[in-house]
Amino acid sequence: MTMASVIFVDDDPDIRSLMEQTLTLEDIPVGCFEDGPSALKQVHPEFEGIVLCDYNMPGMDGLELLQQIRSIDADIPVILLTGQGDISTAVSAMQLGAYDFIEKPFDHEELIELLRHALEKRHLALENRRLKAQLRHLARPGPRMLGDSVAMQRVMATIDPVLDISANVLLHGETGSGKDALARYIHENSPRSSHNFVAINCGAVPENLIESELFGHEAGAFTGADKRRIGKIEHAHMGTLFLDELESMPMPLQVKLLRVLEEQRVERLGSNQIVDVDVRIIAATKADLKALSDKGEFRSDLYYRLNVVKVDIPPLRARKEDVPKLFHHFALIAAARYDRESVPLDARQATRLMQHSWPGNVRELRNLAERYVLLGPAALEEGDSASGPNITGRQTLSEMMDGFERSAIVSALNTCHGSIKDTMVQLGIARKTLYDKMKKHGLDKAQFKD
């Protein structure tokens, strides 16, 4: 479904029909609504369009709708349609932040020009906002999450607002997709960064030891406990506790963890002393915890307690545009570690990397980059799935051209934020041609909208 560039609000169905036909003929996607409340459901801070509304409407009039929209995002242009007797009201509305007004009956060309100017202003405002966010991201000390793809932009848009607060975070993603790296990023860019980041893999610790690992124990609490040991939760006081493979945590231990989350207190094994803790928990899983909780295989109360902010980390195959940058980054790290030179990939090698499905995700890419630094181009010729993709094999001219074509379209769609019209202009091709090529390469414009 095409996202509307113009939200038009009018209680008269004939006018709505006329406006829909008018804007559709001008290739301006429009969504028509009969009242303000229904239109408001489509408005959010990332909405890339504008609002055109009648002033005189029953219930919520144009002025009230303007105020509601500005409370959501003051940068969304709102244009009022007014009758001749409403001019003074329209001027007052502009003083309250309306972008402009236009009188009924309106001139077709004048309306279209006004809408295009307003849309341009909206796109510039959003672009400016994104650039400022990128600058803030780059200016932060500590580790950074690499990737300019739309999928990674969505991840960072979810994470950035909660960096400065202590809300628990649930990371969901395939093995090797970067859950550990994202957890460390959250910690290092939070007020807790001067305290401990404590990680434990719930699936790697034997079930009979994990309780002691998390909660600690007193001397003599069990056979072999010859001295007091501080647990991971207590060690993470004022910092962050990262629980990886959370789905592997035994059910009895889930009850104890839930109590820690609710009371912010911990009790070591073999002790009656309660220790207050202040800890932020970041949990990671490759499983569907909601489905497990529905089946009784994971405590639903713990799931909802941890699922304050959920982040779905995309697999590498869903953000292939990031592959060359990530490979270069990992190669530089490996080169420094092994005191070797890192030779940049050529365009053909980079394209082949992007064509690989990456079943091992970022971890597979990092391992390939290390082999590339140690073995040179020969590392890229290994064709078995355990070693990595064969990216230097012979390609036909058709394969090379397809790879270049897909990369060019992806780049243009990214730059134009999924706008088909702007992408057509940038690539210099017709709309049908662009749609045909996007279908050929499995691309959807919705992937590139922020």
Short mmCIF file of all heavy atoms in Angstrom, two decimals, residues 138-203:
data_model
loop_
_atom_site.label_atom_id
_atom_site.label_comp_id
_atom_site.label_asym_id
_atom_site.label_seq_id
_atom_site.Cartn_x
_atom_site.Cartn_y
_atom_site.Cartn_z
N LEU A 138 27.40 9.80 16.08
CA LEU A 138 28.83 9.74 15.80
C LEU A 138 29.65 10.45 16.87
O LEU A 138 30.83 10.13 17.07
CB LEU A 138 29.12 10.37 14.43
CG LEU A 138 28.56 9.60 13.23
CD1 LEU A 138 28.75 10.40 11.95
CD2 LEU A 138 29.21 8.23 13.10
N ALA A 139 29.05 11.42 17.54
CA ALA A 139 29.79 12.19 18.55
C ALA A 139 29.91 11.46 19.88
O ALA A 139 30.71 11.83 20.73
CB ALA A 139 29.10 13.54 18.77
N ARG A 140 29.12 10.42 20.07
CA ARG A 140 29.15 9.71 21.33
C ARG A 140 30.47 8.96 21.50
O ARG A 140 30.99 8.38 20.54
CB ARG A 140 28.01 8.68 21.41
CG ARG A 140 26.64 9.28 21.61
CD ARG A 140 25.69 8.18 22.05
NE ARG A 140 24.33 8.70 22.13
CZ ARG A 140 23.39 8.44 21.25
NH1 ARG A 140 23.68 7.67 20.22
NH2 ARG A 140 22.19 8.93 21.39
N PRO A 141 31.00 8.94 22.71
CA PRO A 141 32.19 8.12 22.95
C PRO A 141 31.80 6.65 22.98
O PRO A 141 30.62 6.30 23.08
CB PRO A 141 32.65 8.60 24.34
CG PRO A 141 31.40 9.07 25.01
CD PRO A 141 30.55 9.66 23.90
N GLY A 142 32.81 5.79 22.95
CA GLY A 142 32.55 4.36 23.09
C GLY A 142 32.18 3.70 21.77
O GLY A 142 32.31 4.29 20.69
N PRO A 143 31.73 2.44 21.84
CA PRO A 143 31.45 1.66 20.63
C PRO A 143 30.27 2.22 19.85
O PRO A 143 29.39 2.89 20.39
CB PRO A 143 31.11 0.27 21.20
CG PRO A 143 30.63 0.54 22.59
CD PRO A 143 31.43 1.71 23.07
N ARG A 144 30.27 1.95 18.56
CA ARG A 144 29.17 2.38 17.70
C ARG A 144 28.62 1.18 16.95
O ARG A 144 29.32 0.21 16.69
CB ARG A 144 29.68 3.42 16.68
CG ARG A 144 30.20 4.70 17.32
CD ARG A 144 30.54 5.73 16.25
NE ARG A 144 31.03 6.96 16.85
CZ ARG A 144 32.29 7.26 17.05
NH1 ARG A 144 33.21 6.39 16.71
NH2 ARG A 144 32.64 8.40 17.61
N MET A 145 27.35 1.29 16.60
CA MET A 145 26.73 0.26 15.78
C MET A 145 26.87 0.70 14.33
O MET A 145 26.43 1.80 13.97
CB MET A 145 25.27 0.09 16.15
CG MET A 145 25.05 -0.42 17.57
SD MET A 145 25.81 -2.02 17.89
CE MET A 145 24.89 -3.06 16.77
N LEU A 146 27.49 -0.16 13.52
CA LEU A 146 27.73 0.20 12.13
C LEU A 146 26.55 -0.23 11.26
O LEU A 146 25.98 -1.30 11.45
CB LEU A 146 29.01 -0.47 11.63
CG LEU A 146 30.31 -0.02 12.31
CD1 LEU A 146 31.49 -0.82 11.76
CD2 LEU A 146 30.55 1.46 12.10
N GLY A 147 26.23 0.60 10.28
CA GLY A 147 25.18 0.26 9.33
C GLY A 147 24.30 1.44 9.01
O GLY A 147 23.81 2.12 9.90
N ASP A 148 24.15 1.70 7.70
CA ASP A 148 23.31 2.80 7.25
C ASP A 148 22.00 2.30 6.65
O ASP A 148 21.21 3.10 6.16
CB ASP A 148 24.06 3.62 6.18
CG ASP A 148 25.34 4.23 6.72
OD1 ASP A 148 25.32 4.65 7.90
OD2 ASP A 148 26.34 4.28 6.00
N SER A 149 21.78 1.00 6.67
CA SER A 149 20.58 0.45 6.05
C SER A 149 19.33 0.91 6.79
O SER A 149 19.37 1.32 7.96
CB SER A 149 20.64 -1.08 6.05
OG SER A 149 20.64 -1.56 7.38
N VAL A 150 18.21 0.84 6.10
CA VAL A 150 16.93 1.21 6.70
C VAL A 150 16.65 0.33 7.92
O VAL A 150 16.17 0.82 8.95
CB VAL A 150 15.79 1.07 5.67
CG1 VAL A 150 14.44 1.30 6.32
CG2 VAL A 150 16.00 2.05 4.52
N ALA A 151 16.98 -0.95 7.83
CA ALA A 151 16.72 -1.87 8.95
C ALA A 151 17.49 -1.46 10.19
O ALA A 151 16.95 -1.47 11.31
CB ALA A 151 17.11 -3.30 8.54
N MET A 152 18.76 -1.05 10.02
CA MET A 152 19.55 -0.64 11.19
C MET A 152 19.12 0.74 11.68
O MET A 152 19.20 1.03 12.88
CB MET A 152 21.03 -0.64 10.84
CG MET A 152 21.67 -2.01 10.90
SD MET A 152 21.38 -2.88 12.48
CE MET A 152 22.27 -1.83 13.62
N GLN A 153 18.66 1.59 10.80
CA GLN A 153 18.14 2.88 11.24
C GLN A 153 16.94 2.69 12.15
O GLN A 153 16.76 3.42 13.14
CB GLN A 153 17.76 3.74 10.04
CG GLN A 153 18.97 4.28 9.27
CD GLN A 153 18.56 5.09 8.04
OE1 GLN A 153 17.44 5.56 7.94
NE2 GLN A 153 19.48 5.24 7.10
N ARG A 154 16.11 1.70 11.84
CA ARG A 154 14.95 1.42 12.68
C ARG A 154 15.40 0.93 14.06
O ARG A 154 14.82 1.29 15.09
CB ARG A 154 14.05 0.38 12.02
CG ARG A 154 13.32 0.87 10.79
CD ARG A 154 12.15 -0.06 10.44
NE ARG A 154 11.52 0.34 9.20
CZ ARG A 154 11.70 -0.27 8.04
NH1 ARG A 154 12.49 -1.32 7.96
NH2 ARG A 154 11.10 0.15 6.93
N VAL A 155 16.43 0.08 14.09
CA VAL A 155 16.95 -0.41 15.36
C VAL A 155 17.45 0.76 16.22
O VAL A 155 17.11 0.87 17.40
CB VAL A 155 18.09 -1.43 15.13
CG1 VAL A 155 18.82 -1.73 16.44
CG2 VAL A 155 17.55 -2.72 14.54
N MET A 156 18.24 1.64 15.61
CA MET A 156 18.80 2.75 16.37
C MET A 156 17.72 3.74 16.80
O MET A 156 17.81 4.36 17.86
CB MET A 156 19.88 3.46 15.56
CG MET A 156 21.04 2.56 15.14
SD MET A 156 21.65 1.47 16.47
CE MET A 156 22.22 2.69 17.66
N ALA A 157 16.69 3.88 15.98
CA ALA A 157 15.58 4.77 16.34
C ALA A 157 14.84 4.24 17.56
O ALA A 157 14.27 5.01 18.35
CB ALA A 157 14.62 4.93 15.18
N THR A 158 14.83 2.93 17.75
CA THR A 158 14.21 2.33 18.92
C THR A 158 15.10 2.45 20.15
O THR A 158 14.64 2.72 21.26
CB THR A 158 13.90 0.84 18.67
OG1 THR A 158 13.08 0.72 17.51
CG2 THR A 158 13.18 0.22 19.86
N ILE A 159 16.41 2.28 19.95
CA ILE A 159 17.35 2.26 21.06
C ILE A 159 17.67 3.65 21.60
O ILE A 159 17.72 3.88 22.81
CB ILE A 159 18.66 1.56 20.62
CG1 ILE A 159 18.44 0.05 20.51
CG2 ILE A 159 19.79 1.85 21.59
CD1 ILE A 159 18.06 -0.61 21.81
N ASP A 160 17.89 4.62 20.72
CA ASP A 160 18.38 5.93 21.14
C ASP A 160 17.53 6.59 22.22
O ASP A 160 18.08 7.17 23.17
CB ASP A 160 18.52 6.86 19.93
CG ASP A 160 19.77 6.56 19.12
OD1 ASP A 160 20.63 5.83 19.63
OD2 ASP A 160 19.89 7.04 17.98
N PRO A 161 16.19 6.56 22.14
CA PRO A 161 15.41 7.24 23.18
C PRO A 161 15.52 6.64 24.57
O PRO A 161 15.16 7.30 25.56
CB PRO A 161 13.96 7.12 22.66
CG PRO A 161 14.09 6.85 21.19
CD PRO A 161 15.33 6.04 21.07
N VAL A 162 16.00 5.39 24.69
CA VAL A 162 16.04 4.75 26.01
C VAL A 162 17.46 4.57 26.53
O VAL A 162 17.67 3.92 27.56
CB VAL A 162 15.33 3.38 25.97
CG1 VAL A 162 13.87 3.55 25.62
CG2 VAL A 162 16.00 2.41 24.99
N LEU A 163 18.45 5.16 25.85
CA LEU A 163 19.82 5.03 26.32
C LEU A 163 20.02 5.66 27.69
O LEU A 163 20.76 5.14 28.53
CB LEU A 163 20.80 5.67 25.32
CG LEU A 163 20.97 4.95 23.98
CD1 LEU A 163 21.86 5.75 23.06
CD2 LEU A 163 21.55 3.55 24.19
N ASP A 164 19.37 6.77 27.94
CA ASP A 164 19.59 7.53 29.17
C ASP A 164 18.68 7.10 30.33
O ASP A 164 18.74 7.70 31.40
CB ASP A 164 19.40 9.02 28.91
CG ASP A 164 20.43 9.57 27.94
OD1 ASP A 164 21.53 8.98 27.87
OD2 ASP A 164 20.15 10.57 27.26
N ILE A 165 17.85 6.12 30.11
CA ILE A 165 16.99 5.63 31.19
C ILE A 165 17.31 4.17 31.45
O ILE A 165 18.03 3.54 30.68
CB ILE A 165 15.49 5.81 30.84
CG1 ILE A 165 15.14 5.05 29.57
CG2 ILE A 165 15.14 7.27 30.70
CD1 ILE A 165 13.66 5.15 29.20
N SER A 166 16.77 3.65 32.55
CA SER A 166 17.16 2.30 32.97
C SER A 166 16.13 1.23 32.64
O SER A 166 16.04 0.21 33.31
CB SER A 166 17.45 2.30 34.48
OG SER A 166 18.58 3.09 34.76
N ALA A 167 15.32 1.48 31.61
CA ALA A 167 14.32 0.49 31.22
C ALA A 167 14.99 -0.80 30.77
O ALA A 167 16.04 -0.78 30.10
CB ALA A 167 13.46 1.05 30.09
N ASN A 168 14.38 -1.94 31.15
CA ASN A 168 14.90 -3.22 30.69
C ASN A 168 14.67 -3.36 29.20
O ASN A 168 13.69 -2.86 28.65
CB ASN A 168 14.20 -4.37 31.43
CG ASN A 168 14.50 -4.34 32.92
OD1 ASN A 168 15.61 -4.00 33.33
ND2 ASN A 168 13.52 -4.68 33.73
N VAL A 169 15.57 -4.07 28.54
CA VAL A 169 15.52 -4.21 27.09
C VAL A 169 15.58 -5.69 26.73
O VAL A 169 16.37 -6.45 27.30
CB VAL A 169 16.70 -3.47 26.41
CG1 VAL A 169 16.65 -3.65 24.89
CG2 VAL A 169 16.67 -1.98 26.76
N LEU A 170 14.74 -6.08 25.77
CA LEU A 170 14.74 -7.45 25.26
C LEU A 170 15.19 -7.42 23.81
O LEU A 170 14.54 -6.80 22.96
CB LEU A 170 13.36 -8.07 25.38
CG LEU A 170 13.20 -9.51 24.85
CD1 LEU A 170 14.10 -10.46 25.64
CD2 LEU A 170 11.75 -9.97 24.94
N LEU A 171 16.31 -8.07 23.53
CA LEU A 171 16.85 -8.14 22.18
C LEU A 171 16.47 -9.48 21.56
O LEU A 171 16.71 -10.54 22.17
CB LEU A 171 18.38 -7.99 22.20
CG LEU A 171 18.94 -6.76 22.92
CD1 LEU A 171 20.47 -6.78 22.88
CD2 LEU A 171 18.41 -5.48 22.31
N HIS A 172 15.93 -9.43 20.35
CA HIS A 172 15.53 -10.66 19.67
C HIS A 172 16.21 -10.71 18.30
O HIS A 172 16.14 -9.75 17.53
CB HIS A 172 14.01 -10.72 19.50
CG HIS A 172 13.55 -11.91 18.72
ND1 HIS A 172 13.22 -11.84 17.39
CD2 HIS A 172 13.38 -13.20 19.09
CE1 HIS A 172 12.86 -13.05 16.97
NE2 HIS A 172 12.95 -13.88 17.98
N GLY A 173 16.88 -11.78 18.04
CA GLY A 173 17.56 -11.90 16.74
C GLY A 173 18.19 -13.26 16.58
O GLY A 173 18.39 -14.01 17.55
N GLU A 174 18.53 -13.58 15.35
CA GLU A 174 19.14 -14.87 15.06
C GLU A 174 20.54 -14.95 15.66
O GLU A 174 21.15 -13.94 16.01
CB GLU A 174 19.23 -15.06 13.53
CG GLU A 174 17.89 -15.14 12.84
CD GLU A 174 18.04 -15.30 11.33
OE1 GLU A 174 19.19 -15.41 10.85
OE2 GLU A 174 17.01 -15.30 10.64
N THR A 175 21.05 -16.16 15.77
CA THR A 175 22.41 -16.37 16.24
C THR A 175 23.40 -15.62 15.35
O THR A 175 23.33 -15.70 14.12
CB THR A 175 22.76 -17.87 16.24
OG1 THR A 175 21.85 -18.55 17.11
CG2 THR A 175 24.18 -18.11 16.70
N GLY A 176 24.29 -14.87 15.98
CA GLY A 176 25.32 -14.14 15.23
C GLY A 176 24.88 -12.82 14.67
O GLY A 176 25.63 -12.18 13.93
N SER A 177 23.67 -12.36 15.02
CA SER A 177 23.16 -11.11 14.42
C SER A 177 23.66 -9.86 15.12
O SER A 177 23.44 -8.75 14.63
CB SER A 177 21.63 -11.12 14.41
OG SER A 177 21.11 -11.26 15.72
N GLY A 178 24.34 -10.01 16.26
CA GLY A 178 24.92 -8.85 16.93
C GLY A 178 24.22 -8.44 18.21
O GLY A 178 24.31 -7.28 18.61
N LYS A 179 23.57 -9.37 18.88
CA LYS A 179 22.86 -9.03 20.12
C LYS A 179 23.84 -8.58 21.21
O LYS A 179 23.59 -7.62 21.94
CB LYS A 179 22.03 -10.22 20.59
CG LYS A 179 20.93 -10.63 19.61
CD LYS A 179 20.05 -11.72 20.17
CE LYS A 179 20.73 -13.07 20.29
NZ LYS A 179 21.04 -13.68 18.98
N ASP A 180 24.97 -9.27 21.31
CA ASP A 180 25.97 -8.90 22.31
C ASP A 180 26.52 -7.50 22.04
O ASP A 180 26.67 -6.68 22.96
CB ASP A 180 27.10 -9.93 22.32
CG ASP A 180 28.21 -9.56 23.29
OD1 ASP A 180 28.09 -9.82 24.50
OD2 ASP A 180 29.21 -8.95 22.83
N ALA A 181 26.83 -7.22 20.77
CA ALA A 181 27.37 -5.90 20.42
C ALA A 181 26.37 -4.79 20.72
O ALA A 181 26.74 -3.71 21.23
CB ALA A 181 27.76 -5.87 18.94
N LEU A 182 25.10 -5.03 20.45
CA LEU A 182 24.09 -4.02 20.72
C LEU A 182 23.91 -3.81 22.22
O LEU A 182 23.74 -2.68 22.68
CB LEU A 182 22.76 -4.41 20.08
CG LEU A 182 21.64 -3.37 20.16
CD1 LEU A 182 22.08 -2.04 19.57
CD2 LEU A 182 20.38 -3.86 19.45
N ALA A 183 23.97 -4.89 22.99
CA ALA A 183 23.87 -4.76 24.45
C ALA A 183 25.02 -3.92 25.00
O ALA A 183 24.82 -3.05 25.87
CB ALA A 183 23.87 -6.15 25.10
N ARG A 184 26.22 -4.15 24.50
CA ARG A 184 27.38 -3.36 24.95
C ARG A 184 27.24 -1.90 24.52
O ARG A 184 27.62 -0.98 25.26
CB ARG A 184 28.68 -3.96 24.40
CG ARG A 184 29.03 -5.29 25.03
CD ARG A 184 30.31 -5.88 24.49
NE ARG A 184 30.58 -7.19 25.06
CZ ARG A 184 31.17 -7.40 26.23
NH1 ARG A 184 31.58 -6.35 26.94
NH2 ARG A 184 31.36 -8.61 26.69
N TYR A 185 26.70 -1.68 23.34
CA TYR A 185 26.48 -0.31 22.86
C TYR A 185 25.51 0.43 23.79
O TYR A 185 25.75 1.58 24.16
CB TYR A 185 25.92 -0.34 21.44
CG TYR A 185 25.45 1.01 20.94
CD1 TYR A 185 26.35 1.90 20.36
CD2 TYR A 185 24.12 1.40 21.07
CE1 TYR A 185 25.94 3.15 19.92
CE2 TYR A 185 23.69 2.63 20.63
CZ TYR A 185 24.60 3.51 20.05
OH TYR A 185 24.18 4.75 19.63
N ILE A 186 24.43 -0.24 24.17
CA ILE A 186 23.45 0.38 25.06
C ILE A 186 24.10 0.74 26.39
O ILE A 186 23.93 1.85 26.91
CB ILE A 186 22.25 -0.57 25.29
CG1 ILE A 186 21.48 -0.77 23.98
CG2 ILE A 186 21.31 -0.01 26.36
CD1 ILE A 186 20.43 -1.86 24.06
N HIS A 187 24.87 -0.19 26.93
CA HIS A 187 25.53 0.08 28.22
C HIS A 187 26.54 1.23 28.12
O HIS A 187 26.52 2.15 28.95
CB HIS A 187 26.25 -1.19 28.71
CG HIS A 187 27.12 -0.96 29.91
ND1 HIS A 187 26.60 -0.81 31.18
CD2 HIS A 187 28.47 -0.84 30.03
CE1 HIS A 187 27.60 -0.61 32.03
NE2 HIS A 187 28.74 -0.62 31.36
N GLU A 188 27.40 1.18 27.12
CA GLU A 188 28.47 2.17 27.00
C GLU A 188 27.95 3.56 26.70
O GLU A 188 28.64 4.55 26.92
CB GLU A 188 29.47 1.74 25.92
CG GLU A 188 30.28 0.50 26.26
CD GLU A 188 31.17 0.70 27.48
OE1 GLU A 188 31.52 1.85 27.78
OE2 GLU A 188 31.50 -0.30 28.14
N ASN A 189 26.74 3.66 26.18
CA ASN A 189 26.17 4.97 25.87
C ASN A 189 25.08 5.37 26.87
O ASN A 189 24.27 6.25 26.58
CB ASN A 189 25.60 4.97 24.45
CG ASN A 189 26.69 4.97 23.40
OD1 ASN A 189 27.26 5.99 23.07
ND2 ASN A 189 27.02 3.78 22.91
N SER A 190 25.10 4.75 28.03
CA SER A 190 24.12 5.04 29.07
C SER A 190 24.84 5.65 30.28
O SER A 190 26.07 5.59 30.38
CB SER A 190 23.40 3.76 29.49
OG SER A 190 24.24 2.97 30.33
N PRO A 191 24.09 6.23 31.22
CA PRO A 191 24.72 6.76 32.44
C PRO A 191 25.39 5.69 33.29
O PRO A 191 26.14 6.01 34.21
CB PRO A 191 23.53 7.39 33.19
CG PRO A 191 22.50 7.67 32.15
CD PRO A 191 22.65 6.57 31.15
N ARG A 192 25.13 4.41 32.97
CA ARG A 192 25.73 3.31 33.74
C ARG A 192 27.10 2.89 33.20
O ARG A 192 27.69 1.93 33.70
CB ARG A 192 24.78 2.10 33.71
CG ARG A 192 23.45 2.37 34.39
CD ARG A 192 22.49 1.19 34.24
NE ARG A 192 21.26 1.42 35.00
CZ ARG A 192 21.06 1.05 36.25
NH1 ARG A 192 22.01 0.37 36.88
NH2 ARG A 192 19.94 1.32 36.87
N SER A 193 27.61 3.58 32.21
CA SER A 193 28.82 3.13 31.52
C SER A 193 30.06 3.10 32.41
O SER A 193 31.01 2.37 32.12
CB SER A 193 29.09 4.03 30.30
OG SER A 193 29.26 5.38 30.71
N SER A 194 30.06 3.88 33.49
CA SER A 194 31.23 3.87 34.38
C SER A 194 31.21 2.69 35.34
O SER A 194 32.15 2.51 36.12
CB SER A 194 31.29 5.19 35.17
OG SER A 194 30.11 5.37 35.95
N HIS A 195 30.14 1.91 35.31
CA HIS A 195 30.02 0.73 36.17
C HIS A 195 30.09 -0.54 35.32
O HIS A 195 30.28 -0.47 34.10
CB HIS A 195 28.73 0.79 36.98
CG HIS A 195 28.63 2.00 37.86
ND1 HIS A 195 29.25 2.08 39.09
CD2 HIS A 195 28.01 3.19 37.66
CE1 HIS A 195 29.01 3.26 39.63
NE2 HIS A 195 28.26 3.96 38.79
N ASN A 196 29.94 -1.68 35.94
CA ASN A 196 30.21 -2.95 35.27
C ASN A 196 29.16 -3.33 34.23
O ASN A 196 27.97 -3.13 34.43
CB ASN A 196 30.30 -4.08 36.29
CG ASN A 196 31.52 -3.95 37.19
OD1 ASN A 196 32.54 -3.42 36.77
ND2 ASN A 196 31.42 -4.44 38.40
N PHE A 197 29.65 -3.89 33.13
CA PHE A 197 28.81 -4.60 32.17
C PHE A 197 29.10 -6.07 32.40
O PHE A 197 30.21 -6.55 32.15
CB PHE A 197 29.15 -4.20 30.74
CG PHE A 197 28.38 -4.98 29.70
CD1 PHE A 197 27.10 -4.59 29.31
CD2 PHE A 197 28.93 -6.11 29.10
CE1 PHE A 197 26.39 -5.30 28.36
CE2 PHE A 197 28.23 -6.83 28.14
CZ PHE A 197 26.95 -6.42 27.77
N VAL A 198 28.11 -6.80 32.91
CA VAL A 198 28.31 -8.19 33.29
C VAL A 198 27.46 -9.07 32.39
O VAL A 198 26.24 -8.91 32.31
CB VAL A 198 27.91 -8.41 34.76
CG1 VAL A 198 28.15 -9.86 35.16
CG2 VAL A 198 28.69 -7.47 35.67
N ALA A 199 28.10 -9.99 31.69
CA ALA A 199 27.40 -10.85 30.73
C ALA A 199 27.45 -12.31 31.18
O ALA A 199 28.46 -12.78 31.71
CB ALA A 199 28.03 -10.71 29.35
N ILE A 200 26.34 -13.00 30.98
CA ILE A 200 26.30 -14.43 31.24
C ILE A 200 25.42 -15.10 30.18
O ILE A 200 24.35 -14.59 29.84
CB ILE A 200 25.75 -14.73 32.66
CG1 ILE A 200 25.76 -16.24 32.92
CG2 ILE A 200 24.37 -14.13 32.88
CD1 ILE A 200 25.47 -16.60 34.37
N ASN A 201 25.92 -16.20 29.65
CA ASN A 201 25.17 -16.97 28.66
C ASN A 201 24.40 -18.06 29.40
O ASN A 201 24.99 -19.01 29.90
CB ASN A 201 26.12 -17.58 27.63
CG ASN A 201 25.37 -18.22 26.47
OD1 ASN A 201 24.41 -18.96 26.68
ND2 ASN A 201 25.80 -17.93 25.26
N CYS A 202 23.09 -17.89 29.46
CA CYS A 202 22.26 -18.83 30.23
C CYS A 202 22.30 -20.24 29.66
O CYS A 202 22.00 -21.21 30.37
CB CYS A 202 20.82 -18.33 30.28
SG CYS A 202 20.63 -16.69 31.02
N GLY A 203 22.65 -20.37 28.38
CA GLY A 203 22.68 -21.69 27.77
C GLY A 203 24.02 -22.37 27.90
O GLY A 203 24.14 -23.57 27.61
#
